[in-house]
Amino acid sequence: GGKAIESTAKGVDGKPLPSAADWLRTPYTYGELSSEKWLVMEYVPSIKVNSNAKLDAEGVTVEDREYLAEALAHSYLRQFCVNKFFSTDPHPGNLGIEVFEDKRPPRLVFYDFGQACSLSEDQAGGILEVIESIIDSDAKKSVKAFVRMGVLKDNADLVKVQAKCQSNYDTGKLQVKKRKRRTNAKYSVMGTQRTDSAEKVVFSETNQSNATNSTTDTPEVKDAEVMEFFTLQSEYAFVARALSQLDGVGKGLDPEFDFISASAPYLVEIKGSGRYIMDEVKKKLDFVFGEEGGVLTKEMNLFKALGFEPESYQKK
């Protein structure tokens, strides 16, 4: 049911995003019948997202539920980073699952945007950069993202903050799970704008960047030492609330769910394939040629530590 409409949202590259109608539905609002007191909306029947017995009875499989959990993350990646406007209340009472008789994948239904929040350009862009930095295990990029988001105090010790981020990556406190492979072709709908090669880049970059940043002499920094450097604007309290609630819903559908891992494959959609590929190429070049953490720089420093001066061997 329902009528699909073209997406008006644009990715980082300025190009329109594909319609989400195959995996997400919201009731149509009848503006001519609505007022400040009344909101008249289309009736959209669905099964409550945590009504497991009813989902079982309708034949919603384990793979279907994993797909729906990923769709939830996909939706919030768009809301946070592209729409810059999101529902702060994705609890089970506001989320349904629409099941079809023609063997299409089930889709999420969002109800009640009664509590929502807007984000500024830097807040949305910073959230996207934080997500990317976690995927890449890139502590330096994490700190830059925090600065853009405006969550660090003026007197923040950026060295300590970066060291703590690096420790979290090195110890596996923050890491991205590899996406589950699905055997049924019906699930390909949500990923039509993402190529398998792009997905491989996402996860290969995770390992590569971690190797670039990881050090054995990273000083131990306690949580309390860095938390005093952070200050959260009210918008981020709503972001945290939404993430907490969608994590509970996501884990109800897929016990292994986490937002970062589930949304990682859709970075290419959010950024646009051209922009995404350019950024990944830059990461690879920085991995080799970067002035601070590149492989060649590390080798040069090693030679110098052993008493060699690489510059003296340059061809004249």
Side-chain angles (χ1 to χ4, degrees):
K3 181 180 179 181
I5 61 173
E6 293 299 316
S7 174
T8 58
K10 295 182 179 179
V12 175
D13 62 352
K15 297 180 180 179
L17 295 183
S19 173
D22 288 320
W23 48 275
L24 180 68
R25 184 175 181 182
T26 58
Y28 178 78
T29 300
Y30 295 92
E32 69 278 9
L33 300 177
S34 300
S35 67
E36 292 183 1
K37 293 184 178 180
W38 298 97
L39 185 63
V40 182
M41 304 175 75
E42 170 193 20
Y43 173 67
V44 179
S46 68
I47 302 171
K48 195 173 179 180
V49 71
N50 62 350
S51 297
N52 291 318
K54 291 183 179 179
L55 293 173
D56 290 339
E58 290 294 328
V60 179
T61 66
V62 170
E63 276 196 313
D64 285 335
R65 295 176 207 211
E66 292 171 353
Y67 167 85
L68 290 163
E70 190 173 290
L72 182 63
H74 187 181
S75 167
Y76 268 87
L77 182 67
R78 283 193 176 196
Q79 290 181 62
F80 289 149
C81 303
V82 176
N83 302 114
K84 305 177 190 69
F85 181 81
F86 63 96
S87 169
T88 66
D89 225 11
H91 60 73
N94 289 339
L95 292 169
I97 295 175
E98 188 176 18
V99 181
F100 303 100
E101 296 180 356
D102 59 4
K103 305 303 180 182
R104 279 182 290 164
R107 66 179 170 184
L108 286 174
V109 181
F110 267 77
Y111 300 103
D112 188 10
F113 269 70
Q115 188 176 76
C117 180
S118 298
L119 296 170
S120 70
E121 188 73 32
D122 279 336
Q123 288 172 332
I127 290 172
L128 179 60
E129 289 175 9
V130 166
I131 292 170
E132 284 192 278
S133 72
I134 294 173
I135 291 170
D136 293 340
S137 298
D138 189 333
K140 186 176 180 180
K141 186 172 183 178
S142 295
V143 175
K144 288 182 178 179
F146 294 151
V147 171
R148 182 177 182 185
M149 291 171 70
V151 298
L152 291 176
K153 296 178 181 178
D154 292 338
N155 66 340
D157 187 330
L158 301 187
V159 174
K160 280 189 175 182
V161 175
Q162 182 172 327
K164 184 58 183 176
C165 290
Q166 190 61 60
S167 174
N168 287 341
Y169 297 141
D170 290 346
T171 58
K173 287 183 179 180
L174 286 174
Q175 59 182 0
V176 180
K177 303 184 186 81
K178 189 169 178 61
R179 191 187 193 195
K180 295 177 182 179
R181 290 289 179 182
R182 300 192 181 96
T183 57
N184 196 319
K186 72 179 183 178
Y187 300 112
S188 65
V189 174
M190 190 165 57
T192 51
Q193 300 300 315
R194 175 194 53 78
T195 64
D196 288 336
S197 60
E199 182 183 340
K200 290 175 183 176
V201 170
V202 168
F203 292 103
S204 66
E205 282 296 323
T206 300
N207 296 330
Q208 188 183 72
S209 296
N210 190 49
T212 304
N213 287 280
S214 182
T215 60
T216 56
D217 58 351
T218 301
E220 183 179 353
V221 181
K222 296 181 180 179
D223 291 344
E225 291 182 71
V226 296
M227 289 308 297
E228 63 178 296
F229 300 135
F230 284 83
T231 177
L232 294 182
Q233 299 158 16
S234 59
E235 290 87 349
Y236 296 124
F238 288 115
V239 170
R241 173 192 172 109
L243 286 173
S244 175
Q245 293 198 9
L246 77 87
D247 186 69
V249 172
K251 282 184 167 58
L253 293 166
D254 176 6
E256 296 182 11
F257 173 86
D258 75 81
F259 173 70
I260 301 295
S261 300
S263 61
Y266 301 102
L267 288 180
V268 64
E269 175 190 270
I270 299 300
K271 298 178 74 172
S273 57
R275 174 71 176 270
Y276 178 83
I277 292 171
M278 285 180 62
D279 286 350
E280 295 306 312
V281 169
K282 287 179 182 177
K283 290 177 191 176
K284 290 181 181 293
L285 291 174
D286 189 60
F287 175 73
V288 178
F289 299 107
E291 293 183 3
E292 294 184 19
V295 172
L296 293 183
T297 300
K298 290 181 178 179
E299 289 183 352
M300 293 281 278
N301 291 337
L302 176 60
F303 282 132
K304 290 179 179 180
L306 294 174
F308 296 97
E309 288 296 333
E311 291 85 356
S312 64
Y313 295 96
Q314 290 180 354
K315 186 176 180 181
K316 298 181 180 180

